Amino acid sequence: MIKHFRTGLIATGLTICAATLVAPTYAALPFFSSDKDEVPSLAPMLQEATPAVVSIAVEGTQTSRQRVPEMFRYFFGAPQEQVQERPFRGLGSGVIIDAEEGYVVTNNHVVDNADEITVKLNDGREFKAKKLGADEQSDIALLKIDPEDLTELPLADSDALLVGDFVVAIGNPFGLSQTVTSGIVSALSRSGLNIGGLEDFIQTDAAINRGNSGGALVNLKGELVGINTAIFGPNGGNVGIGFAIPSNMMKRLVDQIIEFGEVRRGLLGILGSDVDAGLAEAMNSDINKGAFVSEVQPDSAAEKGGLEAGDIIIAVNGKELNSFRELRAKVASMGAGAEVELTVLRRGDSIDLKVVLDDASDVQITAAEILPALEGATLAAGTDARGNAGIEVTDVERNSPAARFGLQPEDVIVAVNRQRITNLTEFRNALDGASGVIALNVNRGSTSLYLVIR
């Protein structure tokens, strides 16, 4: 079970663990003592890093909607749905990434629906924060506080991380501010975890628990390599499998929020799948990982950049690529208009292609291109009444198949067979993997409904 964490202080059992650092391993690092009479320590580095990691307290109201049974509406004149509002409080963590501007980055799920956000520094000072923008699918949010004598964390190049690198997690687990845990990078480019729409995580065994969300994952130089986001744990506790958003991905998204007030997601315009041994053999390739291109959309960034069906994308901007999901996350976070260099295997030859990404929000297609049963509808990326990303139905022709199935203009499709989708590429991929009956979860105003296509 994958867990996100926004929680108040709760009672918990404590387990004390100890680890031994071997002096010769770290002797060359500047923050470790080389004095034979002193024990190697991370303390000097942490004294510089921890002032940049903050506690975040939120207050807000959660709104839930429940459809009222038809007989109650008929006999008692009840409304179509019952709306309930419940106040909530939560705790999380954040990282100051720009001291002069007062920018604090955290997870979207930490501050989502919050009416009031309070940032507390390790010296006890508190600030009311303003949310400048957020991205649900990457789970990143950017806050701003008054820039009064703040400390920021320098950013590392997360693409340079290697499995086995030492890392330190700093955050606010269970309300215990400025808690530090250490470990290593256990894996890179983790995806397919169903945590969010865009997954390209650093996996670490540094202990991450409730309240660590939005906190810092730093290297031994005190540089930010990731934003702690979630853990894998059957009971919600740490089992040594935690996940962090890479600092490079975070920086690309934050830059878009600062410039535009929102994330303008990039779009390549391909359909595809992961490369495995069977596909590699079928394509007569020696490469057993990467992103296989099964279809290139007409007039897309991919077609303009020279990609062809049957290509295997093995690297993005010189960085080795492991899966199609990783490609999707990298492309989406780079933003519309970004120039990307793709290394491609084509009929045994390696070639480099430069592609300028489209804006996912500007792309509009006919539904029949994806699902012939919905002929007559026009689709584009959009958001529903609650701000959730999905596929908006911009137009439906009268008496068309789409109209007969019940689609209406301004409907927003948010899931296919209960698989969450946020953009046209995800919609295509979900339908490509579906067979038999297809159930579309549609948000119509404040109402959620299903349309079943047989």
Side-chain angles (χ1 to χ4, degrees):
M1 183 181 296
I2 304 291
K3 298 282 187 180
H4 280 135
F5 302 119
R6 177 174 66 192
T7 180
L9 181 62
I10 64 174
T12 178
L14 298 177
T15 301
I16 300 176
C17 300
T20 301
L21 296 177
V22 182
T25 305
Y26 307 110
L29 296 175
F31 48 81
F32 284 95
S33 170
S34 59
D35 192 321
K36 295 181 179 179
D37 296 329
E38 294 185 22
V39 177
S41 175
L42 290 170
M45 178 273 285
L46 292 170
Q47 288 173 359
E48 299 292 328
T50 51
V53 182
V54 302
S55 299
I56 297 177
V58 298
E59 296 183 18
T61 303
Q62 286 182 329
T63 302
S64 62
R65 292 175 169 82
Q66 185 174 5
R67 193 170 179 83
V68 177
E70 186 175 351
M71 66 176 184
F72 284 95
R73 301 201 304 270
Y74 180 79
F75 287 109
F76 303 108
Q80 281 192 333
E81 62 179 11
Q82 186 177 26
V83 179
Q84 292 183 333
E85 293 186 347
R86 297 179 180 179
F88 71 84
R89 292 182 177 182
L91 293 174
S93 307
V95 183
I96 300 172
I97 59 169
D98 190 322
E100 290 187 4
E101 296 294 334
Y103 290 149
V104 179
V105 68
T106 186
N107 286 140
N108 175 66
H109 74 263
V110 171
V111 296
D112 192 28
N113 296 319
D115 299 321
E116 187 173 300
I117 305 171
T118 302
V119 170
K120 183 176 180 179
L121 308 188
N122 75 330
D123 61 10
R125 287 183 294 161
E126 294 187 359
F127 299 87
K128 295 300 181 184
K130 176 184 178 182
K131 185 167 76 170
L132 298 182
D135 183 42
E136 176 190 4
Q137 297 309 303
S138 59
D139 203 15
I140 283 292
L142 181 65
L143 312 178
K144 182 176 174 59
I145 61 176
D146 291 335
E148 298 180 4
D149 191 24
L150 303 178
T151 299
E152 67 184 52
L153 270 185
L155 302 187
D157 178 5
S158 56
D159 286 341
L161 277 178
L162 298 174
V163 173
D165 283 350
F166 287 98
V167 287
V168 176
I170 311 171
N172 184 38
F174 304 110
L176 302 172
S177 60
Q178 298 297 310
T179 295
V180 176
T181 56
S182 65
I184 63 169
V185 173
S186 305
L188 296 167
S189 302
R190 284 294 194 207
S191 60
L193 306 172
N194 296 319
I195 298 175
L198 300 176
E199 299 180 358
D200 186 21
F201 294 114
I202 301 165
Q203 181 182 325
T204 178
D205 65 348
I208 298 173
N209 288 286
R210 295 182 184 273
N212 267 116
S213 284
L217 189 71
V218 302
N219 59 23
L220 295 188
K221 295 179 181 179
E223 299 169 330
L224 184 69
V225 297
I227 301 296
N228 298 321
T229 297
I231 69 168
F232 183 89
N235 300 312
N238 173 63
V239 293
I241 303 177
F243 301 99
I245 299 166
S247 59
N248 287 1
M249 180 176 179
M250 177 275 293
K251 180 66 164 54
R252 292 192 294 264
L253 295 165
V254 164
D255 285 347
Q256 293 176 57
I257 292 173
I258 293 172
E259 183 174 357
F260 307 114
E262 62 181 359
V263 172
R264 296 187 176 179
R265 216 173 299 288
L267 184 67
L268 189 55
I270 63 172
L271 297 180
S273 61
D274 295 344
V275 176
D276 56 23
L279 181 58
E281 182 178 358
M283 299 301 295
N284 195 27
S285 170
D286 295 329
I287 303 297
N288 292 320
K289 59 182 179 180
F292 176 70
V293 180
S294 60
E295 181 181 343
V296 176
Q297 301 301 312
D299 201 35
S300 64
E303 183 182 65
K304 295 172 184 175
L307 273 174
E308 298 178 2
D311 286 346
I312 297 175
I313 304 173
I314 58 173
V316 177
N317 290 337
K319 173 69 175 178
E320 186 179 275
L321 189 69
N322 293 299
S323 67
F324 193 86
R325 288 190 183 94
E326 182 186 350
L327 172 68
R328 184 171 66 85
K330 289 185 182 302
V331 165
S333 66
M334 285 175 184
E339 184 177 83
V340 182
E341 183 176 270
L342 303 177
T343 303
V344 172
L345 281 183
R346 180 179 297 167
R347 292 182 285 277
D349 296 326
S350 176
I351 59 175
D352 292 327
L353 300 174
K354 289 188 176 180
V355 179
V356 178
L357 300 179
D358 289 329
D359 188 337
S361 62
D362 289 342
V363 177
Q364 184 168 285
I365 65 170
T366 60
E369 293 180 40
I370 304 177
L371 187 62
L374 294 183
E375 183 180 355
T378 304
L379 309 176
T383 56
D384 63 15
R386 300 164 192 160
N388 299 313
I391 305 303
E392 182 179 359
V393 180
T394 58
D395 186 52
V396 178
E397 296 177 9
R398 293 182 62 185
N399 300 320
S400 66
R404 289 195 291 272
F405 273 115
L407 272 184
Q408 297 180 12
E410 298 186 1
D411 283 352
V412 178
I413 303 168
V414 294
V416 176
N417 292 349
R418 299 201 173 196
Q419 179 182 339
R420 182 77 171 90
I421 56 105
T422 62
N423 56 50
L424 290 169
T425 300
E426 291 179 7
F427 190 35
R428 290 177 186 273
N429 291 339
L431 290 172
D432 191 46
S435 60
V437 176
I438 296 173
L440 301 180
N441 184 194
V442 175
N443 287 344
R444 181 175 295 163
S446 59
T447 301
S448 181
L449 54 97
Y450 279 89
L451 299 180
V452 178
I453 300 172
R454 300 180 183 275

